[in-house]
């Protein structure tokens, strides 16, 4: 038994007396779709690329701990240097699409420096990460664009290992001189701390001088700053590793739908086009006769008429995109006649849908005229405008011309729309429109809602007077008073402007008393008093 155990442990050669042989488990093969996207191994990282990543981590630790502002753009620019050097070192060429996407990333990173609305900032940061990942991966087909926008997450840990391995293999010619310098610096710091503390305790003037010269560091922030350093380092190395060895998601095979016969494919689209056409004709009749005739016949107000159909029209636009995608998947394509039929029917459907989108926007305009702007109404109207742009791209790209640029154009339009939406500071636009309507006597001001807006709205809310101004601004003023002003790099233009306005014309925090006088049902964080 002992001999058998020894043979089993050592492993028997093929043909030996012992019939069994140990075989290591066979690794599971990669799926075909993932194997097709595998890139070449990344070349060793250059020392300057690793140095840039370390610099990005140090910058993140220094400036990101106080909030978001211009610091996000600064860290992005420094981290992008390492990725750009790596990409150019591998022989990759900069194409126009790369430049457009890179510009979109910079615009998205600029949003926190301009707007103080948390929702706009978060959306811009998420979009910036996705578009930056797409810049590094590249891609022109739908799989390449969709997976490329998320691919950078798979490079974070390999990028860190890649950077550490390059440091271990690198030979530093000045290693003999670096160690003495590091020792000298360390001993000098220890002596300065010990004797500086003693001198500071001996004389208050010396203590004040040392305090002004030496930056103060809160010991409780050290772990958080270390985490920011690690995040910045990993993000920069992950971006550089992506540039060195991106997965080619465009190589992923996408199945082609089974080709349908003309009757089976065309009849549903013909019926849908007739339905859309009927709706468009009705809208044209209404436009000629005026909305007043509809109001007189139905007894509805403009707001009720707008609210009646806007959400349905929005869902129609979204579902039509799904119909177009499936119709292209199963479209007949055997001959030129089939391809012409596809272009005609889908082109007509996209054109009619543009009219539907325009009708939805007109109805939202009526609703806003009646009740004013809110975040929800502005956000939905912005989405509707973007959907109209997408249908234009589909019409000219997928139906009438080539489709190669369509996925990238759709993603770029979404990124630019998010950036513009944040840079416009829509909360200020909402406040201005509602105040103008109130000053014009068309409606009563909903100060309860205006007080929930972000610091973006402070310049417009400052136009109010008396209890209306106090009620609208005291929530924002209380929040700003609770926190000291961040450094210049960690504050948005909107917050900086709000602090200036409230410093020049302070708001008395009366715990909701002013709100109870102008809006008795007002509910705030202090409750009803």
């Amino acid at each position: 038994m002992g001999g058998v155990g020894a043979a089993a442990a050592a492993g028997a050669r093929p043909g030996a007396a012992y019939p069994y042989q140990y075989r290591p488990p066979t690794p599971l093969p990669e799926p075909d779709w993932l194997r097709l996207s595998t890139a070449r191994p990344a070349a060793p990282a250059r020392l300057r690329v690793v140095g840039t990543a370390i610099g990005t981590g140090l910058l993140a630790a220094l400036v990101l701990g106080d909030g978001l502002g211009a610091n996000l753009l600064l860290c992005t620019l420094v981290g992008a240097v390492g990725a750009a050097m790596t990409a150019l070192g591998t022989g990759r060429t900069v194409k126009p699409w790369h430049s457009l996407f890179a510009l979109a990333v910079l615009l998205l990173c600029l949003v926190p420096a301009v707007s103080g609305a948390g929702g706009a900032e978060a959306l811009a940061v998420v979009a910036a990460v996705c578009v930056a990942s797409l810049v590094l991966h590249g891609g022109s087909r739908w799989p390449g664009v969709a997976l490329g926008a998320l691919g950078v997450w798979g490079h974070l840990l390999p990028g860190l290992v890649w950077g550490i391995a390059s440091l271990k293999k690198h030979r530093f010619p000045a290693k003999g001189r670096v160690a003495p310098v590091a020792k000298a610096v360390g001993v000098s710091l220890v002596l300065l701390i010990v004797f500086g503390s003693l001198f500071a305790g001996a004389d208050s003037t010396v203590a004040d001088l040392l305090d002004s010269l030496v930056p103060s560091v809160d010991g409780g922030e050290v772990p958080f700053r270390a985490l920011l350093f690690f995040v910045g380092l990993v993000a920069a190395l992950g971006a550089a590793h992506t540039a060195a060895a991106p997965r080619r998601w465009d190589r992923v095979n996408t199945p082609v739908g089974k080709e349908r016969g003309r009757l089976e494919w065309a009849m549903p689209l013909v019926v849908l086009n007739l339905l859309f056409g009927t709706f468009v004709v009705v809208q044209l009749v209404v436009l000629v006769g005026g909305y007043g005739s509809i109001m007189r016949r139905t007894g509805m107000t403009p707001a009720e008429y707008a609210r009646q159909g806007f959400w349905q029209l929005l869902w129609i636009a979204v579902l039509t995109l799904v119909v177009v995608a499936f119709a292209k998947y199963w479209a007949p394509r055997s001959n030129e006649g089939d391809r012409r039929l596809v272009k005609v029917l889908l082109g007509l459907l996209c054109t009619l849908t543009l009219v539907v989108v325009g009708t939805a926007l007109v109805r939202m305009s009526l609703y806003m005229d009646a009740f004013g702007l809110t975040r929800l109404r502005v956000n939905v109207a912005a989405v509707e405008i973007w959907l109209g742009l997408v249908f234009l791209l589909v019409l000219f790209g997928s139906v009438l011309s080539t489709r190669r640029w369509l996925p990238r154009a759709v993603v770029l339009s979404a990124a630019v729309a998010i950036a513009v939406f944040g840079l416009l500071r829509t909360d200020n636009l909402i406040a201005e429109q509602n105040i103008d309507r109130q000053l014009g006597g068309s409606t009563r001001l909903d100060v309860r809602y205006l007080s929930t807006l972000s610091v973006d709205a402070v310049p417009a809310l400052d136009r109010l007077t008396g209890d209306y101004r106090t009620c609208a601004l005291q929530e924002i003023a209380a929040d700003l008073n609770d926190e000291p002003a961040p450094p210049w790099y960690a504050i948005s233009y909107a917050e900086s402007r709000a602090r200036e306005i409230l410093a020049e014309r302070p708001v008395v925090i009366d715990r909701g008393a002013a709100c109870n006088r102008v809006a008795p049902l007002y509910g705030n964080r202090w409750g009803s008093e």
Side-chain angles (χ1 to χ4, degrees):
M1 295 296 293
V4 173
R13 297 188 305 275
Y18 189 70
Y20 300 105
Q21 179 183 4
Y22 171 76
R23 292 183 177 87
T26 303
L28 295 176
E30 285 186 328
D32 291 338
W33 66 272
L34 187 60
R35 190 184 305 115
L36 289 171
S37 66
T38 302
R40 65 178 184 272
R46 297 182 180 182
L47 183 60
R48 56 186 178 181
V49 173
V50 179
T52 303
I54 294 174
T56 304
L58 291 174
L59 183 62
L62 290 174
V63 303
L64 287 183
D66 300 308
L68 285 184
N71 47 13
L72 179 63
L73 181 60
L74 294 175
C75 292
T76 301
L77 289 174
V78 175
V81 171
M85 289 191 298
T86 304
L88 296 176
T90 59
R92 297 178 64 180
T93 58
V94 179
K95 299 179 180 178
W97 280 108
H98 296 154
S99 302
L100 291 175
F101 280 126
L103 181 60
V105 172
L106 296 181
L107 287 176
L108 290 167
C109 292
L110 190 62
V111 170
V114 175
S115 174
E121 291 180 359
L123 185 59
V125 170
V126 172
V129 173
C130 294
V131 177
S133 177
L134 184 57
V135 173
L136 297 171
H137 280 280
S140 59
R141 298 170 57 231
W142 284 112
V145 170
L147 297 175
L150 304 175
V152 71
W153 296 100
H155 289 266
L156 296 182
L157 183 58
L160 180 61
V161 176
W162 177 63
I164 295 174
S166 67
L167 288 179
K168 290 182 177 180
K169 295 179 180 179
H170 192 81
R171 294 183 178 181
F172 297 95
K175 185 176 180 180
R177 296 193 299 270
V178 171
V181 173
K183 293 178 182 178
V185 171
V187 173
S188 301
L189 287 176
V190 171
L191 293 176
L192 284 175
I193 292 173
V194 173
F195 287 94
S197 300
L198 293 175
F199 279 120
D203 191 285
S204 59
T205 304
V206 176
D208 294 337
L209 177 61
L210 292 177
D211 287 339
S212 61
L213 294 177
V214 180
S216 59
V217 178
D218 187 359
E221 291 187 356
V222 172
F224 179 57
R225 300 285 180 173
L227 176 62
L228 290 176
F229 169 79
F230 180 76
V231 171
L233 174 67
V234 170
L237 286 176
H241 187 265
T242 307
R247 279 189 177 271
R248 301 299 183 182
W249 298 110
D250 271 351
R251 299 173 184 169
V252 176
N253 289 331
T254 53
V256 179
K258 181 181 178 181
E259 186 176 352
R260 307 293 178 177
R262 284 193 179 188
L263 179 63
E264 180 184 1
W265 181 87
M267 181 175 289
L269 285 180
V270 170
V271 172
L272 193 60
N273 276 317
L274 289 175
L275 179 61
F276 274 57
T278 302
F279 176 82
V280 170
V281 170
V282 171
Q283 297 305 304
L284 292 177
V285 172
V286 172
L287 181 62
V288 172
Y291 283 97
S293 62
I294 298 294
M295 309 309 156
R296 290 189 296 270
R297 182 172 57 84
T298 61
M300 292 188 299
T301 64
E304 291 173 339
Y305 178 74
R307 185 171 58 246
Q308 179 194 44
F310 174 78
W311 293 105
Q312 290 86 340
L313 296 179
L314 177 62
W315 277 111
I316 287 172
V318 173
L319 292 177
T320 303
L321 279 177
V322 179
V323 170
V324 171
F326 279 102
K328 290 293 294 182
Y329 184 73
W330 284 307
R333 47 190 172 270
S334 299
N335 51 63
E336 184 62 29
D338 289 339
R339 291 188 288 272
R340 188 181 302 110
L341 177 66
V342 171
K343 288 185 178 182
V344 170
L345 290 181
L346 292 185
L348 180 59
L349 182 60
C350 290
T351 303
L352 294 174
T353 307
L354 285 173
V355 179
V356 173
V357 170
T359 302
L361 289 174
V362 170
R363 294 198 180 195
M364 177 55 74
S365 176
L366 292 173
Y367 193 62
M368 290 177 177
D369 289 340
F371 294 104
L373 298 180
T374 64
R375 283 176 175 171
L376 177 61
R377 296 164 193 167
V378 171
N379 293 344
V380 172
V383 171
E384 191 75 32
I385 293 173
W386 178 71
L387 284 175
L389 178 59
V390 170
F391 274 107
L392 279 176
L393 294 174
V394 172
L395 182 62
F396 290 104
S398 181
V399 177
L400 300 180
S401 183
T402 178
R403 293 181 296 167
R404 185 172 179 81
W405 53 268
L406 179 61
R408 291 174 291 185
V410 171
V411 173
L412 182 62
S413 67
V416 173
I418 293 173
V420 171
F421 188 77
L423 295 175
L424 284 178
R425 296 186 297 136
T426 54
D427 278 6
N428 191 56
L429 298 178
I430 293 171
E432 285 184 348
Q433 194 260 5
N434 282 276
I435 292 173
D436 289 340
R437 293 173 68 252
Q438 188 267 344
L439 294 178
S442 61
T443 184
R444 186 166 181 259
L445 185 65
D446 187 1
V447 69
R448 175 175 56 184
Y449 177 77
L450 295 182
S451 65
T452 65
L453 299 177
S454 66
V455 292
D456 289 355
V458 169
L461 298 179
D462 187 52
R463 298 167 52 193
L464 298 173
T465 58
D467 288 339
Y468 282 94
R469 182 178 184 273
T470 302
C471 178
L473 288 175
Q474 63 177 329
E475 291 269 357
I476 298 174
D479 291 335
L480 295 180
N481 292 338
D482 291 341
E483 297 290 339
W488 66 269
Y489 51 78
I491 188 173
S492 65
Y493 167 78
E495 182 177 343
S496 177
R497 180 62 180 146
R499 289 182 179 273
E500 291 178 2
I501 291 174
L502 294 176
E504 294 174 359
R505 295 176 291 280
V507 174
V508 178
I509 308 299
D510 59 8
R511 299 181 61 84
C515 294
N516 290 331
R517 288 192 290 269
V518 297
L521 299 179
Y522 180 75
N524 51 53
R525 67 178 179 180
W526 300 291
S528 299
E529 298 179 357

